[in-house]
Amino acid sequence: MAVSKLPKSVKYFSLLFLILLAAVPVLVRFWVGDSRSGELLFGISTAFCCGAGAIIAFLLGRRLAPALPPGLPSVTFSSAVCGFAILTVVIVTVYYTYFAPVEDRLVNVNPTVSLLVKLFALGCAVYFLLLAAWMPLSEKKALGLFLSLFPVLFCAFRILGDFIDHSTMPLASHGGYRILAIIATMLFFLQEAKFRTGKGGATWYFIIGHVAVILLSSYNVPLLWEFIRGETGLTEILYAMLSIAFIIYIFTRIYSLELETHPAAEDLPEAEA
């Protein structure tokens, strides 16, 4: 299989279009706030942007090669950002769960699930930091596949923990968008793990990456503004910053994919000449 670079004009247009699609739900959320009348508009705008992003990704993703280029500086940077962001989340949540003064401690309905989230988060940090610092990781298929499962398990148990901790109203306060964003992120990392088995599909990887960026932005960017205004807690904002780190990683991954070309077509002009 031969590959070639994605044309810069196509890449920049697609990247700009994705940024605009991710910005629309955020701007709508700022405009309508938490009003009930604006909730429908926010939902419609988010669904429309996800659909538009998926269509553009499908049209472009069919031409992409099913392989993750190794050793790119942009991926190294974003992997390091994710690794340190996850380590920060683990350190802070461990402190507030076990060592903080009693009145400040986090209350977890199911301590076992909470512990598993922290353990899988630690495995995530190892995966991303190794991805950033150790280029031959892409050549170690068994180790790479094993470590790439930690982001999937981390997201899966975060979803489970959300439903357990908010069993009465898991979708309140835009919680549904948070869960959808985590699900999209989990599916993205699942596709990435499939690449390491040699069975990944570039089209689905590209589509899910676009949807994940839009959903992560629509929930977490407004959360950062709420933190500035003093309306949200420390652990929530840490997870929001981790989501921003995931957005950076997804951006660098999906736009590092290369075009799949056909050698016979490339040789045709020479034959004609």
Side-chain angles (χ1 to χ4, degrees):
M1 178 185 66
V3 297
S4 64
K5 295 291 185 181
L6 192 65
K8 287 186 177 181
S9 58
V10 175
K11 178 183 292 187
Y12 291 153
F13 171 78
S14 179
L15 178 60
L16 178 60
F17 191 70
L18 177 55
I19 292 173
L20 291 174
L21 289 176
V24 168
V26 174
L27 295 175
V28 171
R29 174 79 178 276
F30 282 136
W31 181 40
V32 302
D34 293 324
S35 63
R36 288 191 175 184
S37 59
E39 184 69 25
L40 178 61
L41 179 60
F42 176 64
I44 291 174
S45 65
T46 303
F48 172 80
C49 290
C50 287
I55 291 171
I56 293 297
F58 172 74
L59 294 175
L60 185 59
R62 292 180 300 171
R63 304 169 55 199
L64 297 174
L68 298 175
L72 296 177
S74 59
V75 176
T76 299
F77 169 77
S78 61
S79 299
V81 170
C82 286
F84 287 114
I86 295 173
L87 276 181
T88 303
V89 169
V90 172
I91 292 171
V92 172
T93 53
V94 166
Y95 170 76
Y96 277 102
T97 301
Y98 305 110
F99 303 106
V102 177
E103 62 274 13
D104 295 331
R105 289 189 183 181
L106 296 174
V107 178
N108 298 301
V109 177
N110 191 314
T112 302
V113 173
S114 175
L115 178 61
L116 287 173
V117 170
K118 295 177 180 62
L119 290 176
F120 289 135
L122 195 59
C124 270
V126 173
Y127 170 65
F128 284 114
L129 291 176
L130 280 179
L131 198 61
W134 191 37
M135 296 307 176
L137 181 63
S138 59
E139 302 172 4
K140 307 291 183 179
K141 292 186 177 180
L143 178 60
L145 177 60
F146 172 72
L147 292 175
S148 67
L149 292 176
F150 279 105
V152 180
L153 294 171
F154 169 63
C155 292
F157 276 87
R158 270 196 68 194
I159 296 168
L160 178 60
D162 262 15
F163 274 102
I164 292 174
D165 292 342
H166 306 90
S167 56
T168 55
M169 298 182 68
L171 306 182
S173 301
H174 300 281
Y177 299 102
R178 177 181 64 248
I179 293 172
L180 286 174
I182 300 173
I183 291 173
T185 306
M186 178 184 69
L187 292 175
F188 176 82
F189 285 120
L190 182 61
Q191 286 294 319
E192 186 162 290
K194 288 177 66 176
F195 271 114
R196 299 187 181 278
T197 66
K199 298 180 180 179
T203 304
W204 277 111
Y205 188 71
F206 209 59
I207 292 173
I208 295 172
H210 278 65
V211 174
V213 166
I214 294 168
L215 289 173
L216 286 168
S217 302
S218 66
Y219 178 78
N220 292 282
V221 173
L223 202 62
L224 294 174
W225 176 244
E226 291 179 10
F227 177 73
I228 294 175
R229 295 168 56 185
E231 298 176 0
T232 189
L234 177 62
T235 54
E236 287 181 313
I237 200 61
L238 285 175
Y239 276 111
M241 293 176 67
L242 174 58
S243 296
I244 300 301
F246 282 155
I247 290 173
I248 297 172
Y249 179 81
I250 294 171
F251 263 126
T252 59
R253 270 304 195 191
I254 62 178
Y255 287 103
S256 69
L257 296 179
E258 298 172 331
L259 285 175
E260 185 175 8
T261 59
H262 303 284
E266 290 178 352
D267 295 339
L268 186 57
E270 295 183 8
E272 292 177 350

